[in-house]
Amino acid sequence: MILGTRPEIIKLAPVVKELEKRGIDFFILHTGQHFSYNMDRVFFEQLELPQPKYNLGVGSGSHGEQTAKMLLGVERVLTDERPDVVIVQGDTNSTLAGALAAVKLQVPVAHVEAGLRSFDMSMPEEVNRVVVDHVSTLLFAPTQLSRRNLEREGIVEGVYVTGNTIVDAIMMYSPRIEEAKLPLDLPMEYVLLTLHRQENVDNPVRLASAIKGVGLVAEELKVHVIFPVHPRTRLRLVEYGIRVPDGLVLLEPLGYFQFLKLLKGSRVVLTDSGGVQEEACILGVPCVTLRYNTERPETVYVGANVVAGLDPQRILSKTLEMADKRGSWPNPLGDGRAAEKIVRTLKDDLG
Ligand code: UD1
Ligand code: UDP
C-alpha cells in the first residue's frame, strides 16, 4: 500500500484494518509527501495504524521534482519487494507516482476512490485521477456515478462499486470523537473553514477573495469562523500579506478526532477540501464549497452541499442559504463496508 498525505492515511485506515483482520500480508510505503507531525504522524497514532515499512522522505517540491523523487524511490522498493498488488488511494502526487512505478514494473494497481471527475484538467488532482484510473487493474469506484465516469472513458473491466472508505472511517472512529480535546473552548455557534487547494491558495486574488467572503459570513451571522490552517495556506497568507478579518480564529491543523468533533458541531462548513465535503454530507452538516466545480456531485444532488465559487458576495449568499439546512439528506457515499468489499475483491482476484 502506497500513501503520502493526510487524506490518504485517513481513507486507507479502514482498508489497513480489514487487511489486518483477515491476516493478509501487506506493508505501507509512505512517500513522505506530508511530513509535519500534525499532517502525518498524528493520524498513524490516532487511527492506530502500523508504522510504514518504508518512508521515502520526499517532502515538498514542484510537481515534477516531487513526483520524480517518488517514482525513483517507489520503483526501488517495488523491485525489491515484488508485491502481488499495489493499493493507492485518491488523487495526489503520491497516488500518481505509486501507480506509475507499479504499472511499469507490471505490478497490478488497485485504485481506491476511482472514477471521481471534476472535468477540470487545470487541477493537478484531476490529471492524477485520470492517469491512475487508466493504468489500474482494479478500480474501486465509490458510487454509481464514479463508475459511469469510468465507463464513459472506456474503463469497464475490473470496476467495483464499493462506497467511499471515508464512511467506514467515520463509523469506525466516531466513538472516539467525544473524547477529543480541542485547543479552544468552543462557542455555542460557529462556522468551520478549511482551504488548501492549489488553484485557490496559490492565487493571491482568489485567496484574498475567499478570505473576504468568509469575513462577511462571520460579520453577518455574528459567529466565529474556526479555521485550522493547512501549511500551504499559512505560507501563502504570509507571502501575499493577506489580512485575516476579525471573527476568524486560526488554528494549526488538527488531529482526526479533533477535526471531526469541530465539524460535527459546526453550523455550516466552508471548504475546498474533497474529504471535508464528504464528511459534512455524512455527518449532516451543510457544506459550502469554495470552488467552481466538485468531483463529489452526489453531495450536491442530495442537498448537503452547494458549489459557491470564490466571489465574496456569493460565498455570503450561499452560506446564508445553507446555514439552516442541518441535514436530513440521505448519505449517497456508502454503507460503511467499503473496505470489506475492497479487501474481499482483492483476495478473490489474487486467488
Ligand atoms: C496535497 C495534494 C492534494 C491534497 C492535499 C491534502 C498533490 C498534487 N496535492 O496538497 O491533492 O488535497 O495534499 O492535504 O498531491 N507542507 C508542510 N508540511 C506537510 C505538508 C506540506 O509544511 O506535512 C507545506 C509545504 O510547504 C508544501 C506545501 O505545504 O510546500 C504543500 O504541500 P504538498 O504536499 O506539495 O501539497 P498539498 O497542498 O499538501
Ligand atoms: N482533516 C484533519 N484535520 C484538519 C483538517 C482536515 O484531520 O485540520 C481531515 C478531514 O477530516 C478529512 C481530511 O483531513 O478526512 C481531508 O484532507 P484535506 O482537506 O487535506 O485533503 P482532500 O480531502 O481535499 O484531498
Side-chain angles (χ1 to χ4, degrees), residues 5 7 33-36 39 60 63 66 91-93 125 196-197 230-232 235:
T5 67
Q33 178 171 351
H34 283 181
F35 49 86
S36 303
M39 295 296 287
S60 312
H63 285 273
Q66 191 181 50
D91 54 22
T92 70
N93 287 347
E125 292 83 2
H196 77 282
R197 294 248 89 80
H230 188 285
R232 176 192 283 274
L235 284 171

Side-chain angles (χ1 to χ4, degrees), residues 112-138:
V112 175
E113 204 179 69
L116 271 64
R117 295 291 181 270
S118 67
F119 304 102
D120 174 3
M121 286 298 259
S122 71
M123 291 177 69
E125 292 83 2
E126 184 75 355
V127 177
N128 293 345
R129 286 179 201 120
V130 172
V131 174
V132 173
D133 283 338
H134 281 264
V135 301
S136 293
T137 302
L138 291 172

Side-chain angles (χ1 to χ4, degrees), residues 134-326:
H134 281 264
V135 301
S136 293
T137 302
L138 291 172
L139 298 100
F140 298 115
T143 64
Q144 286 297 341
L145 212 130
S146 39
R147 184 193 61 75
R148 279 205 296 278
N149 288 336
L150 294 169
E151 192 176 42
R152 230 177 282 129
E153 292 174 20
I155 305 173
V156 286
E157 261 177 53
V159 178
Y160 299 86
V161 177
T162 59
N164 197 306
T165 58
I166 197 67
V167 183
D168 308 29
I170 289 184
M171 285 167 73
M172 192 179 288
Y173 295 110
S174 58
R176 309 280 304 274
I177 298 177
E178 287 319 312
E179 77 199 40
K181 299 257 175 304
L182 287 164
L184 78 172
D185 290 326
L186 279 184
M188 279 293 286
E189 198 171 270
Y190 60 90
V191 169
L192 178 62
L193 168 69
T194 83
L195 203 60
H196 77 282
R197 294 248 89 80
Q198 176 183 295
E199 65 273 19
N200 284 342
V201 306
D202 285 11
N203 177 330
V205 177
R206 278 200 184 185
L207 181 57
S209 184
I211 295 292
K212 187 171 173 197
V214 175
L216 295 178
V217 169
E219 211 177 290
E220 183 73 23
L221 287 178
K222 298 186 178 45
V223 290
H224 284 302
V225 176
I226 302 179
F227 182 18
V229 189
H230 188 285
R232 176 192 283 274
T233 312
R234 191 168 293 268
L235 284 171
R236 297 297 175 256
L237 285 170
V238 174
E239 189 181 332
Y240 304 148
I242 293 173
R243 197 191 72 83
V244 175
D246 293 341
L248 268 69
V249 181
L250 273 59
L251 303 177
E252 289 300 312
L254 297 169
Y256 193 47
F257 304 149
Q258 284 79 6
F259 185 79
L260 283 187
K261 185 172 185 172
L262 203 54
L263 175 59
K264 211 173 162 188
S266 63
R267 179 158 171 199
V268 50
V269 60
L270 278 58
T271 190
D272 63 3
S273 159
V276 177
Q277 290 175 63
E278 294 162 349
E279 288 166 339
C281 179
I282 296 160
L283 293 171
V285 178
C287 181
V288 177
T289 293
L290 305 182
R291 289 174 45 187
Y292 293 99
N293 54 49
T294 179
E295 55 291 305
R296 274 90 176 170
E298 299 88 345
T299 60
V300 177
Y301 300 153
V302 298
N305 187 10
V306 61
V307 178
L310 277 302
D311 172 69
Q313 285 302 333
R314 203 172 147 81
I315 291 173
L316 175 62
S317 66
K318 289 293 165 192
T319 305
L320 295 178
E321 217 174 84
M322 293 301 281
D324 294 319
K325 286 207 173 150
R326 235 191 131 83

